[in-house]
């Protein structure tokens, strides 16, 4: 049932699309049989079928203004989308029947190619919209709002720093220097969202005048004992050179933690060089790394989920404009 | 300790939705790019430079220059040009479009007198000659259905139908027999036996001692004809008398040669049928004068052969004179051997013989290209000429026989259905299409108003 809903298997648009295709094919076939050759787009059936295909393309393009004016609530969204999909699918065969099953000259071939690209990208997106959200639900339990991945990653890094400072003390000398989180935020989106201060460890959302504090519980020390100096040095070293760069920048800079398997091995080595006292602390760090890995996966999934729509929309608008040119030239050179 | 959902939620900016979604930004950007490309390319397409690209297909090779000159050479703005277009058969539009074609192609119409005016008025050139179907489209390759549109129900398009006009829908299944099959009889007056002439030595009766041998031919013609090496009998073949109407540079028959030049007495007959020096083809008065002039020459030759010119025997002179005059008067020899003698009328202008009436073309409604049939033996279509009876020939009766095979013989090789044609190709050497335009032409000659070769009469 869920699949039926997701596939937009509405009987109305499916019947309408099927009726249009069958009716057009029969009419064109009958006219061709009468005429003893395939009738062209300028014949009466060709014109009517072409006009129907053009009207469908116009309706498909109305999806955009409808989204912009969604507060008006023109028909149910699901119903509109079902008609958008099924009538859109009918549009390709209708255009081909309109053209007498030919691609014609260079312009009409481009137009037809563009139409099939729009249809293919739409079908591709339709399939992705069914598959990817289900996959994300199962495989990315720690996903967040896509646009907040960087913010959350910076806050996680901030929490991790706090935790290490509280649990292990200040970062010893001889370890890699830590980046300014504010600078990281700046470089990521060009404006400072988080004010990071080594003295005043809090995050401030600029503009919203709202504080987004790192979790207190997260900052609480998980260590129930005293770590040795060697352990402190080893953990701070690993954090400064590998963990924090990964939390901030993901696998583009740090390959050691890119996959769950590799990070597991990496943390395994760190655990071997430290005592059991540090176990909970390392578990916490590993949990942030795991979340960041899921963010990476989420980013890729989001790219698949939304990447097609720009091409679909761009090509659709191009198709709409060229369709008008086609109508003008067809009337001029009937 | 795992991070709770609440802890995760606390890290999210509550106003995150106010921030621009990069995917929406990207979508809008691509939308604008699409709009821009669309507007620019539409503007270009609607300009004169881009107009050739709105064509529904490449023009045929012969009309390629029009790609440069622009669509308006043939198209009138907002006038449907295709015959199947909405209002495409409107007489006003058809006339306008046909006028554009006739600027360069001043072809004649088709059955203008007998066809209903409204039918002719809706016949656009492009109904049959379809353009924009690619560089290699042959515009003269008209589909059969364009002919059968009218010819399958010919009475419906005729101004005054008698009811006896044959309908034609396909060469294989519905096509009338050739005219000569329906009304046999050769109007020609030449008494000629193909059977006799194809016999070695050309005897009237097989085994006749008068059969022509090489030594009987004039010296100049002795190497011209084939001779049987054992019997030395002259053996004729078709090409000895039937010369193609057009030849290629090397003298061989051209591939497109349609008919044969008329058989000519001097070229094709005189080697065997000498007229004792009397020219062929003169009228009665000139022939009589030629006979009178020729008598002293004949006498001179006679005495020269005898080697004695001192004695003139009046009887011998008379015999010679009679023999020459018999050329004109004999019912079986001389002119009458091959011709029908005409009744004397005005001796000054009148011909001795009836006109030969040898038809240059027999298939008047179609154009038969002999060159296209070069791969088949003459016998395949002219079997009657080879029908050896073994008895004395009757030239007069045989001359009345039309020695061309009928339509059924054509159907042996010319098969309309492509599938059947392929099937037949596996069992016989020669198969060919059977399209209307293989034999027929539509337009009459615009200058003479006469049918062009192959135009239906």
């Amino acid at each position: 049932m869920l699949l039926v809903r997701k596939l937009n298997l509405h009987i109305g648009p499916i019947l309408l699309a099927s009726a249009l295709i069958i009716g057009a094919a029969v009419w064109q076939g009958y006219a061709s049989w009468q005429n003893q050759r395939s009738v062209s787009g300028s014949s009466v059936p060709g014109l009517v079928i072409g006009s129907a295909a053009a009207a469908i393309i116009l309706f498909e393009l109305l999806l955009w203004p409808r989204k912009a004016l969604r507060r008006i609530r023109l028909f149910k969204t699901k119903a509109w989308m079902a008609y958008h999909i099924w009538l859109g699918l009918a549009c390709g065969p209708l255009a081909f029947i309109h053209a007498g099953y030919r691609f014609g000259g260079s312009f009409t071939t481009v137009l037809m190619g563009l139409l099939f690209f729009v249809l293919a990208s739409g079908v591709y997106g339709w399939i992705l919209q069914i598959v990817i959200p289900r996959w994300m639900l199962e495989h990315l339990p720690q996903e967040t709002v896509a646009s907040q991945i960087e913010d959350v990653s910076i806050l996680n890094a901030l929490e991790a720093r706090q935790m290490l400072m509280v649990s292990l003390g200040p970062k010893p000398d001889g370890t890699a220097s830590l980046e300014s989180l504010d600078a990281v935020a700046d470089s990521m989106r060009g404006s400072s969202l988080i004010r990071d201060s080594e003295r005043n460890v809090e995050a401030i959302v600029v503009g919203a005048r709202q504080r987004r504090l790192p979790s207190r519980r997260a900052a609480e020390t998980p260590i129930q004992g005293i770590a040795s100096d060697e352990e402190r040095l080893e953990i701070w070293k690993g954090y400064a050179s590998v963990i924090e760069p990964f939390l901030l920048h993901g696998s583009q800079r740090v390959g050691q933690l890119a996959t769950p398997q590799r990070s597991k091995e990496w943390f395994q080595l760190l655990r071997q060089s430290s005592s059991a006292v540090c176990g909970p602390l390392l578990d916490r760090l590993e949990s942030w790394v795991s979340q960041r890995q899921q963010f990476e996966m989420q980013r890729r999934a989001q790219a698949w989920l939304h990447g097609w729509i720009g091409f679909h929309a761009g090509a659709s608008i191009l198709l709409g404009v060229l369709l008008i040119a086609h109508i003008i030239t067809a009337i001029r050179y009937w | 300790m795992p991070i709770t959902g609440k802890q995760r939620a606390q890290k999210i900016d509550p106003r995150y939705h106010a921030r621009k979604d990069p995917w929406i930004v990207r979508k809008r950007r691509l939308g604008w790019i699409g709009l821009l490309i669309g507007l620019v390319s539409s503007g270009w397409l609607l300009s004169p430079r881009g107009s050739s690209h709105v064509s529904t297909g490449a023009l045929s090779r012969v009309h390629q220059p029009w790609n440069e000159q622009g669509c308006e050479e043939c198209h009138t703005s907002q006038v449907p040009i295709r015959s199947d277009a909405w209002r495409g058969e409107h007489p006003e539009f058809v006339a306008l479009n046909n006028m554009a074609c006739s600027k360069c192609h001043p072809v004649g119409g088709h059955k203008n007198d007998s066809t209903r005016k409204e039918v002719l008025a809706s016949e656009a050139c492009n109904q049959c000659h379809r353009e924009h179907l690619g560089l290699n489209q042959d515009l003269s390759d008209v589909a059969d259905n364009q002919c059968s549109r009218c010819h399958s129900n010919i009475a419906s398009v005729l101004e005054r139908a008698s009811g006896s006009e044959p309908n034609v829908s396909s060469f294989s299944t519905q096509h009338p027999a050739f005219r000569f099959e329906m009304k046999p009889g050769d109007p020609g007056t030449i008494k000629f036996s193909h059977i006799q002439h194809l016999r070695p030595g050309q005897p009237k009766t097989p085994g006749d001692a008068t059969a022509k041998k090489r030594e009987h031919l004039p010296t100049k013609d002795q190497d011209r004809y084939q001779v049987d090496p054992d019997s030395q009998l002259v053996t004729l073949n078709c090409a000895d008398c039937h010369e193609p109407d057009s030849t290629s540079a090397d003298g061989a028959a051209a591939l497109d040669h349609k008919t044969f030049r008329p058989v000519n007495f001097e070229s094709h007959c005189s080697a065997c049928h000498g007229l004792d020096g009397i020219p062929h083809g003169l009228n009665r008065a000139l022939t009589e004068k030629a006979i009178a002039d020729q008598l002293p020459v004949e006498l001179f030759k006679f005495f020269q052969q005898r080697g004695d010119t001192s004695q003139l025997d009046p009887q011998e002179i008379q015999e010679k004179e009679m023999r020459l005059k018999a050329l004109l008067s004999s019912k079986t020899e001389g002119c009458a051997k091959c011709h029908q003698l005409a009744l004397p009328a005005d001796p000054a202008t009148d011909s001795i013989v009836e006109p030969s009436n040898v038809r240059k073309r027999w298939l008047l409604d179609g154009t038969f290209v002999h060159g296209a049939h070069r791969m088949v033996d003459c016998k395949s279509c002219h079997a009657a000429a080879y029908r050896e009876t073994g008895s004395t020939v009757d030239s007069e009766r045989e001359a009345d026989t039309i020695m061309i095979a009928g339509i059924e013989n054509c159907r042996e090789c010319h098969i309309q259905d492509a599938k059947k044609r392929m099937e037949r190709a596996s069992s016989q050497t020669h198969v060919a299409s059977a399209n209307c335009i293989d034999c027929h032409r539509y337009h009459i000659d615009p200058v003479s108003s006469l049918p062009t070769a192959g135009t239906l009469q």
Side-chain angles (χ1 to χ4, degrees):
Chain A
M1 200 61 205
L2 179 71
L3 192 65
V4 168
R5 269 212 313 276
K6 288 275 181 189
L7 283 170
N8 288 287
L9 294 174
H10 292 227
I11 196 78
I14 291 174
L15 278 181
L16 181 60
S18 310
L20 280 172
I21 294 171
I22 294 167
V26 168
W27 192 11
Q28 204 273 354
Y30 178 70
S32 299
W33 174 73
Q34 268 195 323
N35 218 28
Q36 300 193 336
R37 69 181 182 202
S38 182
V39 293
S40 66
S42 52
S43 63
V44 173
L47 273 179
V48 173
I49 296 164
S51 304
I56 289 173
I57 291 173
L58 181 69
F59 166 75
E60 300 290 300
L61 289 170
L62 285 177
L63 187 68
W64 200 338
R66 189 197 174 274
K67 275 190 176 172
L69 303 169
R70 54 178 161 259
R71 74 194 73 162
I72 298 174
R73 291 193 175 276
L74 280 168
F75 305 104
K76 285 183 179 172
T77 307
K78 276 202 164 292
W80 190 291
M81 188 47 79
Y83 278 97
H84 179 86
I85 289 169
W86 293 104
L87 288 181
L89 283 174
C91 191
L94 285 179
F96 203 44
I97 295 167
H98 154 73
Y101 303 101
R102 290 175 55 235
F103 285 97
S106 47
F107 174 48
T108 46
T109 303
V110 167
L111 204 59
M112 199 73 90
L114 197 58
L115 174 61
F116 283 103
F117 173 77
V118 171
L119 290 183
S121 63
V123 171
Y124 171 75
W126 181 29
I127 293 166
L128 291 182
Q129 297 274 8
I130 294 166
V131 174
I132 289 183
R134 289 169 67 85
W135 180 87
M136 285 172 74
L137 209 61
E138 284 175 22
H139 295 88
L140 307 177
Q142 296 199 66
E143 70 163 316
T144 186
V145 177
S147 63
Q148 294 292 297
I149 286 175
E150 306 305 339
D151 287 13
V152 174
S153 297
I154 292 167
L155 284 170
N156 283 351
L158 191 59
E159 278 180 9
R161 276 189 200 183
Q162 284 178 304
M163 184 186 76
L164 289 183
M165 284 174 72
V166 171
S167 308
L168 304 177
K171 183 166 77 73
D173 295 337
T175 55
S177 59
L178 297 173
E179 283 182 85
S180 156
L181 296 183
D182 195 36
V184 172
D186 278 350
S187 70
M188 280 175 178
R189 65 184 65 82
S191 66
S192 176
L193 292 178
I194 299 169
R195 294 283 172 217
D196 175 32
S197 160
E198 297 298 328
R199 296 178 305 263
N200 181 17
V201 278
E202 65 179 16
I204 301 165
V205 178
V206 176
R209 298 179 189 283
Q210 180 188 351
R211 284 160 187 260
R212 276 196 285 157
L213 296 172
S215 165
R216 272 189 193 172
R217 286 181 66 191
E220 281 170 6
T221 173
I223 292 184
Q224 303 298 320
I226 300 165
S228 65
D229 287 348
E230 289 79 21
E231 284 171 342
R232 284 178 54 228
L233 180 67
E234 201 61 37
I235 293 171
W236 264 114
K237 219 156 109 180
Y239 177 79
S241 59
V242 177
I243 297 174
E244 191 177 281
F246 181 74
L247 292 180
L248 292 175
H249 305 290
S251 55
Q252 57 183 323
R253 283 207 200 158
V254 185
Q256 289 111 305
L257 305 178
T259 64
Q261 181 62 31
R262 289 170 78 176
S263 69
K264 194 177 168 187
E265 286 167 4
W266 190 85
F267 273 100
Q268 196 70 39
L269 285 174
L270 195 59
R271 278 194 180 89
Q272 282 170 5
S273 63
S274 50
S275 65
V277 172
C278 302
L281 183 133
L282 293 175
D283 287 347
R284 186 72 56 80
L285 286 173
E286 196 171 4
S287 152
W288 276 315
V289 166
S290 165
Q291 192 179 25
R292 178 68 206 197
Q293 283 168 349
Q294 289 190 30
F295 287 171
E296 295 274 300
M297 298 286 281
Q298 185 191 346
R299 203 196 295 278
R300 280 200 286 275
Q302 295 283 348
W304 282 96
L305 195 60
H306 301 297
W308 65 276
I309 205 158
F311 294 104
H312 180 70
S316 300
I317 290 171
L318 177 59
L319 175 69
V321 177
L322 291 181
L323 179 67
I324 294 167
H326 172 63
I327 292 168
I328 293 170
T329 55
I331 291 171
R332 191 194 280 182
Y333 307 115
W334 198 243
Chain B
M1 186 189 299
I3 300 163
T4 64
K6 189 178 175 186
Q7 285 172 334
R8 290 212 307 272
Q10 277 176 339
K11 293 178 187 170
I12 294 169
D13 179 359
R15 293 186 67 249
Y16 75 89
H17 58 272
R19 193 188 295 169
K20 282 182 179 172
D21 183 337
W23 293 110
I24 292 176
V25 171
R26 181 185 146 107
K27 184 173 80 172
R28 286 192 183 144
R29 202 169 286 163
L30 285 168
W32 282 109
I33 290 171
L35 182 67
L36 193 68
I37 294 173
L39 289 174
V40 170
S41 45
S42 298
W44 178 69
L45 282 167
L46 296 172
S47 72
R49 292 193 68 173
S51 61
S52 64
H53 293 273
V54 303
S55 151
T56 54
L59 287 173
S60 59
R61 204 176 297 278
V62 289
H63 288 150
Q64 277 301 301
W66 274 253
N67 274 335
E68 305 296 325
Q69 293 179 28
C71 311
E72 280 74 16
E73 285 292 323
C74 301
H75 290 266
T76 309
S77 184
Q78 294 170 39
V79 169
I81 196 166
R82 292 184 62 110
S83 53
D84 66 353
W86 179 49
R87 304 196 72 208
E89 290 189 344
H90 191 284
E92 201 180 310
F93 296 152
V94 169
L96 208 59
N97 291 323
N98 286 357
M99 208 186 296
C101 301
S102 60
K103 277 191 291 185
C104 304
H105 304 281
V107 292
H110 174 75
K111 305 301 236 173
N112 288 355
D113 299 332
S114 54
T115 313
R116 280 168 44 212
K117 297 289 170 283
E118 62 269 28
V119 173
L120 288 173
S122 65
E123 283 298 303
C125 300
N126 67 64
Q127 176 83 41
C128 299
H129 306 290
R130 299 186 67 191
E131 250 303 353
H132 293 291
L133 288 177
L135 200 65
N136 295 320
Q137 167 73 356
D138 180 1
L139 294 178
S140 63
D141 186 10
V142 176
D144 287 353
N145 57 38
Q146 295 306 325
C147 303
S148 61
R149 268 191 303 122
C150 296
H151 283 272
S152 59
N153 184 13
I154 193 72
S156 66
V157 297
L158 292 178
E159 198 73 71
R160 283 176 297 279
S162 68
S164 62
E165 295 85 0
N167 287 329
V168 183
S169 60
S170 138
F171 179 75
S172 301
T173 56
Q174 195 184 24
H175 189 287
F178 298 141
R179 283 174 194 270
F180 64 78
E181 289 183 272
M182 294 188 278
K183 194 180 169 187
D186 189 339
T189 59
I190 301 293
K191 292 174 264 181
F192 181 84
S193 167
H194 277 93
I195 296 169
Q196 179 189 349
H197 283 80
L198 287 169
R199 284 174 181 164
Q202 300 81 48
K204 208 168 181 66
T205 308
D208 194 336
T210 60
K212 197 74 77 183
K213 290 188 174 175
R214 186 174 187 270
E215 67 206 47
H216 297 140
L217 297 176
T219 315
K220 66 180 174 64
D221 293 318
Q222 284 185 349
D223 294 330
R224 183 176 160 191
Y225 298 105
Q226 229 177 320
V227 175
D228 183 84
D230 299 327
S231 63
Q232 289 293 302
L233 290 171
V234 175
T235 310
L236 297 177
N237 59 54
C238 306
D240 287 332
C241 302
H242 299 290
E243 295 175 9
D245 58 355
S246 63
T247 50
S248 56
D250 61 354
L255 299 183
D256 63 345
H257 96 86
K258 295 183 177 66
T259 57
F260 292 90
R261 293 197 188 111
V263 172
N264 177 282
F265 176 83
E266 282 76 18
S267 305
H268 306 115
C269 311
S270 63
C272 300
H273 301 281
L275 293 177
D276 291 334
I278 307 299
H280 179 265
L282 301 178
N283 66 14
R284 187 179 298 275
L286 289 172
T287 307
E288 282 172 350
K289 185 173 181 300
I291 289 170
D293 293 345
Q294 186 63 16
L295 185 60
V297 177
E298 284 290 301
L299 288 174
F300 176 76
K301 279 203 285 187
F302 174 74
F303 289 119
Q304 200 177 30
Q305 279 170 4
R306 208 167 65 172
D308 177 13
T309 56
S310 59
Q311 291 179 352
L312 289 172
D313 183 349
Q315 199 174 338
E316 280 178 329
I317 294 170
Q318 200 178 1
E319 267 178 32
K320 290 285 170 200
E321 193 175 359
M322 290 295 288
R323 196 167 61 79
L324 284 173
K325 286 186 176 172
L327 288 173
L328 291 176
S329 57
S330 170
K331 301 286 183 199
T332 53
E333 293 301 317
C335 302
K337 187 177 176 75
C338 304
H339 291 278
Q340 282 183 13
L341 295 178
L343 294 173
D346 177 3
T349 55
D350 199 21
S351 171
I352 307 160
V353 295
E354 292 287 344
S356 61
N357 277 347
V358 175
R359 296 189 79 159
K360 196 174 178 195
R361 284 176 53 213
W362 280 96
L363 300 168
L364 297 175
D365 290 342
T367 176
F368 184 87
V369 182
H370 272 93
H373 293 80
R374 64 196 174 281
M375 73 292 290
V376 290
D377 189 44
C378 306
K379 208 185 238 179
S380 307
C381 304
H382 303 286
Y386 296 80
R387 203 169 291 139
E388 177 57 79
T389 56
S391 57
T392 306
V393 296
D394 181 348
S395 301
E396 204 160 344
R397 207 180 65 181
E398 199 194 318
D400 199 40
T401 308
I402 298 167
M403 295 188 167
I404 305 173
I407 193 167
E408 287 306 326
N409 194 61
C410 302
R411 284 177 177 145
E412 288 293 315
C413 298
H414 289 274
I415 301 155
Q416 194 162 25
D417 185 75
K419 198 177 165 192
K420 284 184 184 163
R421 197 158 60 232
M422 291 300 290
E423 285 170 8
R424 192 72 71 83
S426 60
S427 60
Q428 70 183 50
T429 318
H430 304 300
V431 285
S433 60
N435 302 318
C436 302
I437 59 159
D438 290 346
C439 300
H440 300 294
R441 296 291 175 269
Y442 176 88
H443 297 286
I444 58 166
D445 187 282
V447 180
S448 65
S449 294
L450 292 172
T452 50
T455 312
L456 285 166
Q457 302 292 297

